[in-house]
Amino acid sequence: MLPLGVPISVLSDSYKATHFLQYPKAHKMVAYGEFRQGFNKDKADTRMVSYGIRYLVENYVAKPWTMEDVEMAEAFYSREGDLTLPAAPPQTPFSSATRDYPPPRPVCRAGYFPVKLEALPEGTCIHARVPVYQITATGEYSPLCTFLETLLTMIWYPTTVATLSRKARDVVEVSFGRTSDGGPTSRLVESRLVDFGFRGCTSVEQSIIGGCAHLLSFNSSDTMSAAFYAQFKLNGGRPVGQSIPATEHSVMTSWPTEAAAMTNMIDNFGTGIYACVMDSYDYCKALSEVLPSVAAHKVSRGGYLVLRPDSGDPTEAVLMALNAADKVFGSVRNSKGFRVIQGCGVIQGDGIDLTTMEKISVAIEEAGFAADNVSYGMGGGLLQKVNRDTMSFATKLCHIVYEDGRPADIMKQPQTDTGKFSLPGILAVKRVNGVPTVFPADTAEVAPHENLLRVVYDKGPLEGVWDDFDTVRARVAAEWMALPRSADNISSSLREKVRQQMALRGKVPAIAR
Amino acid sequence: MLPLGVPISVLSDSYKATHFLQYPKAHKMVAYGEFRQGFNKDKADTRMVSYGIRYLVENYVAKPWTMEDVEMAEAFYSREGDLTLPAAPPQTPFSSATRDYPPPRPVCRAGYFPVKLEALPEGTCIHARVPVYQITATGEYSPLCTFLETLLTMIWYPTTVATLSRKARDVVEVSFGRTSDGGPTSRLVESRLVDFGFRGCTSVEQSIIGGCAHLLSFNSSDTMSAAFYAQFKLNGGRPVGQSIPATEHSVMTSWPTEAAAMTNMIDNFGTGIYACVMDSYDYCKALSEVLPSVAAHKVSRGGYLVLRPDSGDPTEAVLMALNAADKVFGSVRNSKGFRVIQGCGVIQGDGIDLTTMEKISVAIEEAGFAADNVSYGMGGGLLQKVNRDTMSFATKLCHIVYEDGRPADIMKQPQTDTGKFSLPGILAVKRVNGVPTVFPADTAEVAPHENLLRVVYDKGPLEGVWDDFDTVRARVAAEWMALPRSADNISSSLREKVRQQMALRGKVPAIAR
């Protein structure tokens, strides 16, 4: 049984249940998935962190299906009034009743989904247009090549979050480089962006997938589902993420006064790092009256208090808190001339995205505060306000070997949107001057060991194909910084293939000009 | 074990693992969840379809936890280097080692999560500000009242999708009312918006939750995970959603010509309803040359062909297809004077949201075509391009009974954002002139049987609390149309309570003015 009790034979768009009848008879079919653009269509920086294939393969594709799955799917496909499938008993690519489709025909009984999957190693940093996976189906199973497209396309999500999170780390590193004694490699950097996105997710599963993607570039997360999953399912039990004790409004408002709530926090957590939300009633007053009233107690315990605004203009709210804290606790000037508040800082967790992070980091610098004083919490901005268009992900068929043995490269090239063209032929990815570059697989230019697309599934699970989470993290850290912000990553041999394809159909896509 | 192998004791934001130490000692605590605004902050229409509590309760809350869950959570909470919890062995609300918190203290061993949950019946149509659920925790478990907030807050998602989908149905009904013989109650209406959103989801679980929400107002869906789940898990096996056979680009491009691909479709599916995507190479040419070339074969089979543009300007693309189909297959004029094309129509599945749907429906009317000719497919726009801010969902503490027996109503009222104030006291919901209206629960105004908030979980699962999917659908259909677009839904007794609370703190929120 799969995680949510829905068999893999219905984990697809319903039109895909009919595609096995729509393809020409074939001995082999190949499809691949790619992001066609950089984050938010950024043309100057098209880098991305390829991530998330492991979750989909381990939890869905590499699970055996059972006769119960087949029967449940058959019950579903034969639903009364259904318009999808042409005959009763229904022809499905999974039923034993697939009668009218002449051999070779897909007849899948208990077992594993009969395709081969290649993918980039988790955490590989690439530019747009590099295939992140490739699906190969052969023989009688050829027409099932694209059935998993719906499921695998969901790699858009962890890759997009991993990229967003890594870009946020760039913002933090720049800010530390300019204003902190520790510079961009300060050990504080990796705790500066906390994942506040759990409740803004659509589902627990999303929180796990997106939350793990964030943990590739930071170690701070309030999304425990992800921290738990990353630690125990992806990293052999070794801890991956953490957070600090913090109040929410219900805590502040359940005490007779905010001062009483803060006093209790200091009593319980005052020797460590802890946070208090400050806007339950009157943010200004909380900073100017409540904070000073508990300051002596706070200082007596020796820990680090983080003030959390949660409404109003994010930049203003942060500056107000910094100034208030500076006044109450004092600050020292660091070697770069910026102030570091003593035992107190601010976390802004409301209204945070890449743009507001950048704006706040500039504003605190202009106000003379070091980056050390401020953390960010990103919720919906991190885990939910992204979509498949954010980096334009799509899966496309690229190659077919017809019944008569004739091979053909396939390329979608809509004139109505030349950005939506796809790459023709079986693909390989090889580093050229450090840049993962796309090649045709059928040339001598890429030796098998050079191909970054590795087989991760072959009609069943394979052993030893996944790196642990620490390894993936290290890969992201090393590769991201080494990659130019954009690059010409289509090899001339593939470019030539594109030209040939377009000559067949007329129009020249921009890539081939 | 829960669906994804993560115990409920870590299905929360990490700060919530520390809140049991942060609340004042209490005998009882109550919190509730509400949407503070209408869809996309629409002030003129604040209606919404409350939906999705069943999934969360059935799959997560009402599952027993085991000693294994407790041990796994303890291993997680004791992770090396963790900053969250104050002592080793860790104090967690779930561990047997919760030593230092004096009784009453939460000590949860194997069993069920020890709170009571009330919720609106699935599919209840309400306006913004009506509580959709309320959580009550008593005795030693009081400090666990808000632990499930993270999980339950995810009801924002199915409710937002259900609302968006129902608003889309409004658009379709208006269009049918103006241009179709069948009018707004035409049986075509409920197939007009197809869920194309599966691959644009972040996860399979999301596709199930969001896809089911769409199926409340339409019966068309390509998201088979949801159609399967709704049929077998929510509706006793009775079918809920369906779709039609349709090509994708890989089908069109795998044949030597698009005409060959279409011919094969007509051979296989030509007696029913089937769709072909038309922009693989040259959309204009596909309409002006390919379509006429297969027209005779298509007509000979007698079925209904749906043309699918997939790039370019959505409105233009639809009009081009309608004009081409009219030219090839002809049309008849209906009783309202609009043309109905013979055996052919269009589905626009690219770039669709509420706005483009409305734009297209106006444009086809202006061009003289009946609504019968056009369907819509909404993908990311339906299932992913929404977030917790779309209707401003939040869960807030509203009542506490302190250790000394003194009760207090609680109200968050940030001056920095008066839209973020919460409602004070235990709440009840009662229909007044058909409008679900919020009352204090501690008045005689709401008899128990009148309260729309029903107990759906009480320290364990309850029998017979869920309606089947057909019932929920019927509820949405009946209640949505009966509800005014906006309404004053705060009772005067609750308004008085708000006034008292705000008098305690100073500022008057808009609601009490």
Side-chain angles (χ1 to χ4, degrees):
Chain A
M1 265 309 205
L2 292 186
L4 306 158
V6 180
I8 195 159
S9 44
V10 300
L11 287 182
S12 192
D13 291 298
S14 68
Y15 71 166
K16 291 197 170 284
T18 66
H19 287 167
F20 79 106
L21 293 170
Q22 297 178 19
Y23 288 123
K25 303 290 175 286
H27 287 309
K28 181 177 183 176
M29 290 174 71
V30 184
Y32 78 101
E34 63 166 344
F35 293 87
R36 293 186 296 228
Q37 303 203 60
F39 190 87
N40 274 347
K41 323 252 180 272
D42 189 340
K43 287 192 198 315
D45 186 353
T46 64
R47 287 175 298 175
M48 51 189 64
V49 178
S50 172
Y51 179 69
I53 193 76
R54 178 178 177 176
Y55 185 93
L56 294 167
V57 172
E58 276 195 338
N59 290 292
Y60 292 99
V61 183
K63 297 272 190 188
W65 66 34
T66 62
M67 279 316 291
E68 191 195 346
D69 287 334
V70 173
E71 284 155 19
M72 284 170 80
E74 229 169 86
F76 175 71
Y77 282 120
S78 64
R79 62 200 189 273
E80 204 188 335
D82 189 60
L83 302 168
T84 308
L85 290 158
Q91 301 177 60
T92 87
F94 307 100
S95 70
S96 46
T98 305
R99 308 151 309 158
D100 300 339
Y101 189 73
R105 69 186 180 201
V107 179
C108 308
R109 294 202 176 80
Y112 288 94
F113 201 93
V115 296
K116 183 176 82 174
L117 270 181
E118 298 163 277
L120 298 178
E122 293 280 78
T124 301
C125 296
I126 56 172
H127 297 97
R129 300 243 63 146
V130 170
V132 296
Y133 60 70
Q134 191 161 246
I135 314 165
T136 304
T138 55
E140 60 181 316
Y141 303 117
S142 299
L144 292 181
C145 178
T146 55
F147 189 85
L148 294 180
E149 172 183 349
T150 308
L151 184 68
L152 295 175
T153 289
M154 287 196 267
I155 199 177
W156 76 260
Y157 177 61
T159 296
T160 302
V161 174
T163 302
L164 164 56
S165 178
R166 190 57 191 77
K167 286 169 85 82
R169 185 162 171 150
D170 280 354
V171 173
V172 172
E173 287 179 358
V174 166
S175 174
F176 269 74
R178 297 167 62 94
T179 67
S180 167
D181 276 354
T185 58
S186 163
R187 66 172 193 81
L188 286 180
V189 165
E190 67 177 6
S191 69
R192 291 299 103 172
L193 178 60
V194 190
D195 172 0
F196 279 4
F198 197 162
R199 73 187 64 185
C201 285
T202 64
S203 60
V204 172
E205 190 172 37
Q206 173 184 2
S207 77
I208 293 170
I209 297 170
C212 287
H214 169 71
L215 286 167
L216 289 173
S217 294
F218 291 94
N219 69 1
S220 269
S221 177
D222 258 37
T223 301
M224 291 200 291
S225 53
F228 181 94
Y229 191 91
Q231 177 172 345
F232 293 104
K233 310 263 176 165
L234 304 177
N235 208 37
R238 288 184 304 285
V240 169
Q242 55 174 300
S243 190
I244 60 168
T247 69
E248 61 176 21
H249 295 102
S250 73
V251 169
M252 306 305 285
T253 56
S254 63
W255 291 85
T257 64
E258 288 173 286
M262 291 186 77
T263 299
N264 180 65
M265 277 302 280
I266 297 166
D267 287 343
N268 271 299
F269 303 99
T271 57
I273 309 176
Y274 57 104
C276 288
V277 64
M278 302 300 284
D279 73 326
S280 296
Y281 307 112
D282 183 336
Y283 181 58
C284 299
K285 209 163 143 182
L287 293 177
S288 63
E289 295 179 23
V290 181
L291 182 62
S293 77
V294 300
H297 184 38
K298 184 262 161 203
V299 170
S300 76
R301 297 276 284 155
Y304 191 93
L305 166 62
V306 183
L307 304 172
R308 179 161 74 92
D310 197 41
S311 49
D313 175 74
T315 308
E316 268 176 50
V318 169
L319 290 175
M320 281 170 69
L322 288 174
N323 285 318
D326 193 6
K327 196 167 158 191
V328 174
F329 301 109
S331 58
V332 293
R333 212 166 278 272
N334 68 14
S335 69
K336 290 175 176 160
F338 290 88
R339 274 173 289 165
V340 179
I341 297 165
Q342 296 303 284
C344 188
V346 180
I347 184 165
Q348 176 67 28
D350 181 54
I352 290 298
D353 56 26
L354 277 181
T355 310
T356 47
M357 271 183 80
E358 211 148 4
K359 201 173 155 197
I360 292 167
S361 72
V362 168
I364 62 162
E365 180 178 344
E366 282 170 1
F369 289 103
D372 313 54
N373 298 292
V374 178
S375 296
Y376 305 89
M378 208 189 288
L382 180 65
L383 295 190
Q384 178 58 19
K385 293 177 184 175
V386 291
N387 57 67
R388 188 163 67 94
D389 299 335
T390 305
M391 307 202 302
S392 302
F393 188 85
T395 301
K396 293 296 160 203
L397 192 73
C398 56
H399 187 76
I400 188 167
V401 179
Y402 293 109
E403 204 178 17
D404 61 7
R406 191 173 48 88
D409 293 337
I410 308 284
M411 179 173 161
K412 174 187 171 189
Q413 38 185 322
Q415 291 199 13
T416 21
D417 186 349
T418 51
K420 282 187 174 181
F421 83 97
S422 64
L423 299 173
I426 305 175
L427 302 167
V429 181
K430 172 184 152 178
R431 266 181 219 288
V432 177
N433 299 325
V435 173
T437 301
V438 198
F439 286 83
D442 56 2
T443 70
E445 292 171 292
V446 185
H449 73 277
E450 291 176 314
N451 191 355
L452 292 179
L453 287 171
R454 310 278 166 77
V455 180
V456 295
Y457 173 88
D458 194 1
K459 296 178 182 165
L462 300 175
E463 287 291 314
V465 292
W466 307 118
D467 297 313
D468 63 26
F469 201 80
D470 287 337
T471 304
V472 177
R473 267 183 164 173
R475 179 176 296 132
V476 175
E479 292 188 7
W480 181 265
M481 296 309 287
L483 217 55
R485 293 162 79 87
S486 69
D488 177 6
N489 60 359
I490 308 290
S491 63
S492 46
S493 46
L494 182 57
R495 212 170 281 273
E496 179 52 33
K497 245 191 198 191
V498 170
R499 259 186 232 110
Q500 287 163 13
Q501 283 296 313
M502 118 248 138
L504 288 176
R505 300 285 172 186
K507 188 120 176 182
V508 186
I511 199 175
R513 275 176 213 147
Chain B
M1 265 309 205
L2 292 185
L4 305 158
V6 180
I8 195 158
S9 43
V10 300
L11 287 182
S12 192
D13 291 298
S14 68
Y15 70 166
K16 290 197 169 287
T18 66
H19 288 167
F20 79 106
L21 293 170
Q22 297 178 19
Y23 287 123
K25 302 288 174 288
H27 285 310
K28 181 178 183 176
M29 288 173 71
V30 184
Y32 78 101
E34 64 166 342
F35 292 88
R36 292 184 298 227
Q37 303 203 57
F39 190 86
N40 274 347
K41 324 251 178 272
D42 189 340
K43 287 190 197 317
D45 186 353
T46 63
R47 287 175 299 176
M48 52 188 66
V49 178
S50 172
Y51 179 68
I53 192 78
R54 178 177 177 178
Y55 185 93
L56 293 168
V57 172
E58 276 195 338
N59 290 292
Y60 292 100
V61 183
K63 297 274 188 185
W65 67 33
T66 62
M67 279 316 290
E68 192 195 346
D69 288 334
V70 173
E71 283 156 19
M72 283 171 80
E74 230 169 87
F76 175 72
Y77 282 119
S78 64
R79 63 200 188 272
E80 203 189 335
D82 189 61
L83 302 167
T84 309
L85 290 157
Q91 300 177 60
T92 89
F94 307 100
S95 70
S96 46
T98 305
R99 307 152 308 160
D100 300 338
Y101 189 74
R105 70 184 175 201
V107 180
C108 307
R109 292 201 179 82
Y112 288 94
F113 202 92
V115 296
K116 183 176 81 173
L117 267 182
E118 296 164 277
L120 299 178
E122 292 281 78
T124 301
C125 295
I126 57 172
H127 297 97
R129 300 242 62 144
V130 171
V132 296
Y133 61 70
Q134 192 160 244
I135 315 163
T136 304
T138 55
E140 61 181 315
Y141 303 116
S142 298
L144 291 181
C145 177
T146 55
F147 189 85
L148 294 180
E149 172 185 349
T150 308
L151 184 67
L152 295 174
T153 290
M154 287 196 266
I155 198 176
W156 76 260
Y157 178 61
T159 295
T160 302
V161 174
T163 303
L164 164 58
S165 178
R166 190 58 190 78
K167 287 170 85 81
R169 186 164 170 147
D170 281 355
V171 173
V172 172
E173 288 179 357
V174 166
S175 174
F176 268 75
R178 299 168 61 94
T179 67
S180 168
D181 276 354
T185 58
S186 164
R187 66 171 191 81
L188 286 180
V189 165
E190 67 178 5
S191 68
R192 291 297 103 170
L193 179 60
V194 190
D195 172 0
F196 279 3
F198 197 163
R199 72 187 66 185
C201 285
T202 64
S203 60
V204 172
E205 190 171 38
Q206 174 184 1
S207 77
I208 293 171
I209 297 170
C212 287
H214 169 71
L215 286 167
L216 289 172
S217 293
F218 291 93
N219 68 0
S220 270
S221 177
D222 259 38
T223 301
M224 291 202 290
S225 53
F228 181 94
Y229 191 91
Q231 177 172 344
F232 293 104
K233 310 265 176 163
L234 304 177
N235 208 37
R238 288 184 304 288
V240 170
Q242 54 175 300
S243 190
I244 59 168
T247 69
E248 61 175 22
H249 295 101
S250 73
V251 169
M252 305 304 285
T253 57
S254 63
W255 291 85
T257 65
E258 287 173 289
M262 291 186 78
T263 298
N264 179 66
M265 278 302 281
I266 297 165
D267 288 342
N268 272 299
F269 303 100
T271 59
I273 310 175
Y274 57 104
C276 289
V277 66
M278 301 299 283
D279 73 327
S280 297
Y281 307 111
D282 184 336
Y283 181 58
C284 298
K285 209 164 145 184
L287 293 176
S288 63
E289 297 179 23
V290 181
L291 182 63
S293 77
V294 300
H297 184 36
K298 185 259 160 203
V299 169
S300 75
R301 298 276 282 156
Y304 191 93
L305 167 62
V306 183
L307 304 171
R308 178 161 73 92
D310 197 40
S311 48
D313 175 74
T315 309
E316 268 176 51
V318 169
L319 290 175
M320 282 170 69
L322 289 174
N323 286 317
D326 194 5
K327 197 169 157 192
V328 173
F329 301 110
S331 58
V332 294
R333 213 166 278 272
N334 69 15
S335 68
K336 291 176 176 161
F338 289 88
R339 276 173 288 165
V340 179
I341 298 166
Q342 296 304 285
C344 188
V346 180
I347 184 164
Q348 177 66 30
D350 180 55
I352 291 298
D353 55 27
L354 277 180
T355 310
T356 48
M357 272 183 78
E358 211 150 4
K359 201 173 156 198
I360 292 168
S361 71
V362 168
I364 63 162
E365 181 179 345
E366 283 171 359
F369 289 103
D372 312 54
N373 299 292
V374 178
S375 296
Y376 305 88
M378 209 189 288
L382 180 65
L383 296 190
Q384 177 58 18
K385 292 177 183 175
V386 291
N387 57 68
R388 188 162 69 95
D389 299 334
T390 305
M391 307 202 303
S392 302
F393 187 85
T395 300
K396 293 294 160 205
L397 192 73
C398 58
H399 187 76
I400 188 168
V401 178
Y402 293 108
E403 200 177 21
D404 61 9
R406 190 174 50 88
D409 294 336
I410 307 284
M411 178 173 162
K412 175 190 171 185
Q413 38 184 324
Q415 291 200 13
T416 21
D417 185 351
T418 52
K420 283 187 173 180
F421 82 97
S422 64
L423 299 173
I426 305 175
L427 302 167
V429 181
K430 172 185 154 177
R431 266 181 219 287
V432 177
N433 300 323
V435 173
T437 301
V438 198
F439 286 83
D442 56 2
T443 69
E445 292 171 289
V446 186
H449 73 275
E450 292 177 313
N451 191 356
L452 293 179
L453 286 171
R454 311 277 166 78
V455 180
V456 294
Y457 172 89
D458 194 1
K459 296 180 183 165
L462 300 175
E463 286 292 312
V465 293
W466 307 118
D467 298 312
D468 63 26
F469 202 79
D470 287 338
T471 305
V472 177
R473 267 184 163 173
R475 179 175 296 132
V476 175
E479 293 187 7
W480 181 265
M481 295 310 287
L483 218 54
R485 294 163 78 87
S486 69
D488 177 5
N489 61 358
I490 307 290
S491 63
S492 47
S493 46
L494 182 58
R495 213 171 279 273
E496 178 53 33
K497 244 190 198 190
V498 170
R499 257 185 235 109
Q500 288 164 12
Q501 283 296 316
M502 120 247 136
L504 289 176
R505 300 287 172 183
K507 187 118 179 185
V508 187
I511 199 173
R513 276 176 211 146

